[in-house]
Amino acid sequence: MTAEGYGPTPSGGEAEVILVVDDDADIVRFVRVNLKLQGFGVVTAVDAVEALAAIEERRPDLALIDLSMPGMDGIELTRLLRADPMTSALPIIMLTARATVADKVLGLTAGADDYLVKPFDTLELIARVRSTLRRNREFREVSPLTGLPGNNRILREITDRVHSGADYAVCYFDIDRFKSVNDAYGFARGDEFIAALARSLHRAVAEAGLPPAFLGHVGGDDFVLVLAPHQVRPTTTRAVTLFEAAADELYDPVDAQRGYLEMVDRRNQSYRVNLVTLSIGVALSTSRPFADPREVIAAASEMKTVAKRQPGSYVAVDKRSDVGSDSGAYPTVPAQRLAAAVEPAPVEQQTDV
């Protein structure tokens, strides 16, 4: 077992590590040289035993595994890795000299993500490695509940908008009194409320038209929407209308009819909790320039806190132009009612800070 190319890349990030498992020294040499030239770290093994030891010592980001090896072959090794919770998500590209459809299907059925037929050229090798790593990163970043991109992808999207020079808005959505729903009905029902918000936002974004908006799931009941400033009002209005209508269907009928939850505290005292609404904080690049994506997120988060102080579904828009202004309590203009499309009418209010 050999290892080369560890450490930071020229750009400052940690090099992704590729495990190459093949008993053909020429193939290993070819793959190792070309991967290193592309900035990857490389670990090599001649059989399954060495491969398992290498994985235990240094968790690779991807494995290139030869189909035909002495002892345990590539199919068996792949099945073993897929059965282990610690390696079940490891991206695997099968290397094979057999180009028949049956052999390819065998490798993919065993759990390989892709395959390379020998002999392969450098461009194909690098392209398949990069595409498999990219798909794996995107898969890891997707919320399993909503199917939406997670924190890393959200940060990249906002970073791209900050550097693009075009006007943009970042909306931070949060479900008010979501904990009460979880406490009253359990987390499974709570997940249904989160999924309902995801669907409502997706539909509102689809109806917003061009330019295309970006929707991400931070986690729990928090979502981020990145779009053009002129799309904020119609999109948030539509999202609130859709979500509150969907939420009404998720409550027990008696709770939906009376308009509140009947809860019991630790002292066995009953109290009422209003039905869920949305708090939305908005940061606008048209109000002040943001140099760092974290500043945008912080501003939208502050506005979400402002929105939570208001009754009902509420949108708080940050229009401060003075970056050095106090970040505590902000004066607000009178709330503006926006038209609602369902009965009982969900009222969205908007305040500019």
Side-chain angles (χ1 to χ4, degrees):
M1 177 178 66
T2 61
E4 300 178 64
Y6 289 166
T9 63
S11 61
E14 191 70 19
E16 291 174 296
V17 176
I18 313 299
L19 170 64
V20 183
V21 189
D22 201 312
D23 61 329
D24 187 323
D26 291 333
I27 292 291
V28 170
R29 187 180 306 109
F30 172 79
V31 173
R32 182 176 63 236
V33 168
N34 285 285
L35 289 176
K36 286 178 62 182
L37 286 173
Q38 296 297 317
F40 293 104
V42 181
V43 178
T44 63
V46 298
D47 56 29
V49 174
E50 280 198 5
L52 293 172
I55 291 171
E56 182 68 27
E57 179 181 335
R58 167 76 175 188
R59 297 286 178 185
D61 297 288
L62 180 145
L64 293 165
I65 299 177
D66 184 31
L67 176 64
S68 302
M69 296 186 295
M72 183 185 298
D73 64 16
I75 297 294
E76 292 178 89
L77 176 58
T78 297
R79 287 174 175 157
L80 184 64
L81 293 174
R82 288 290 178 254
D84 186 341
M86 296 299 294
T87 56
S88 60
L90 175 67
I92 296 173
I93 297 177
M94 192 74 71
L95 304 178
T96 175
R98 305 170 185 173
T100 66
V101 172
D103 287 316
K104 295 174 183 177
V105 170
L106 182 63
L108 294 172
T109 303
D113 297 279
D114 202 351
Y115 60 87
L116 268 170
V117 178
K118 303 176 184 177
F120 45 82
D121 63 27
T122 303
L123 292 178
E124 183 180 15
L125 168 68
I126 300 304
R128 290 188 181 272
V129 167
R130 291 197 186 282
S131 64
T132 304
L133 286 170
R134 184 184 66 253
R135 288 197 304 270
N136 185 255
R137 284 193 298 269
E138 291 173 350
F139 176 78
R140 290 199 310 266
E141 292 176 0
V142 168
S143 164
L145 175 61
T146 63
L148 294 173
N151 291 345
N152 292 337
R153 181 66 183 85
I154 293 170
L155 184 60
R156 288 202 303 272
E157 180 68 25
I158 296 175
T159 300
D160 290 344
R161 301 289 181 117
V162 169
H163 295 154
S164 70
D167 293 336
Y168 63 91
V170 173
C171 304
Y172 199 151
F173 290 76
D174 178 77
I175 302 177
D176 302 317
R177 294 171 294 281
F178 175 70
K179 183 178 183 300
S180 296
V181 169
N182 267 347
D183 291 344
Y185 298 135
F187 70 86
R189 185 87 65 92
D191 283 351
E192 292 181 29
F193 279 80
I194 293 173
L197 177 54
R199 290 193 300 271
S200 299
L201 289 169
H202 189 275
R203 183 173 169 186
V205 165
E207 294 176 6
L210 298 176
F214 170 85
L215 175 60
H217 186 189
V218 176
D221 60 320
D222 290 349
F223 292 79
V224 166
L225 184 59
V226 186
L227 68 175
H230 73 270
Q231 296 173 312
V232 171
R233 181 178 291 270
T235 305
T236 55
T237 302
R238 186 62 171 147
V240 167
T241 301
L242 291 168
F243 173 70
E244 291 192 355
D248 285 345
E249 299 297 322
L250 296 175
Y251 283 105
D252 285 351
V254 62
D255 295 329
Q257 185 174 7
R258 67 190 177 191
Y260 61 85
L261 292 174
E262 191 78 43
M263 308 287 288
V264 178
D265 64 20
R266 295 178 182 177
R267 295 186 296 274
N268 207 33
Q269 299 294 315
S270 63
Y271 64 98
R272 296 177 178 181
V273 177
N274 290 334
L275 303 186
V276 296
T277 51
L278 292 179
S279 287
I280 306 166
V282 182
L284 294 171
S285 68
T286 51
S287 296
R288 54 189 167 108
F290 293 100
D292 189 299
R294 290 168 294 187
E295 296 176 2
V296 190
I297 297 170
S301 182
E302 289 176 27
M303 292 302 100
K304 185 186 72 170
T305 302
V306 171
K308 278 192 170 294
R309 299 178 190 145
Q310 310 299 328
S313 289
Y314 210 90
V315 178
V317 181
D318 182 10
K319 289 195 172 180
R320 294 168 295 168
S321 58
D322 182 7
V323 179
S325 61
D326 182 16
S327 60
Y330 307 110
T332 61
V333 301
Q336 302 172 10
R337 289 181 177 272
L338 299 179
V342 298
E343 287 291 343
V347 178
E348 188 205 5
Q349 298 172 304
Q350 176 160 328
T351 181
D352 296 336
V353 175

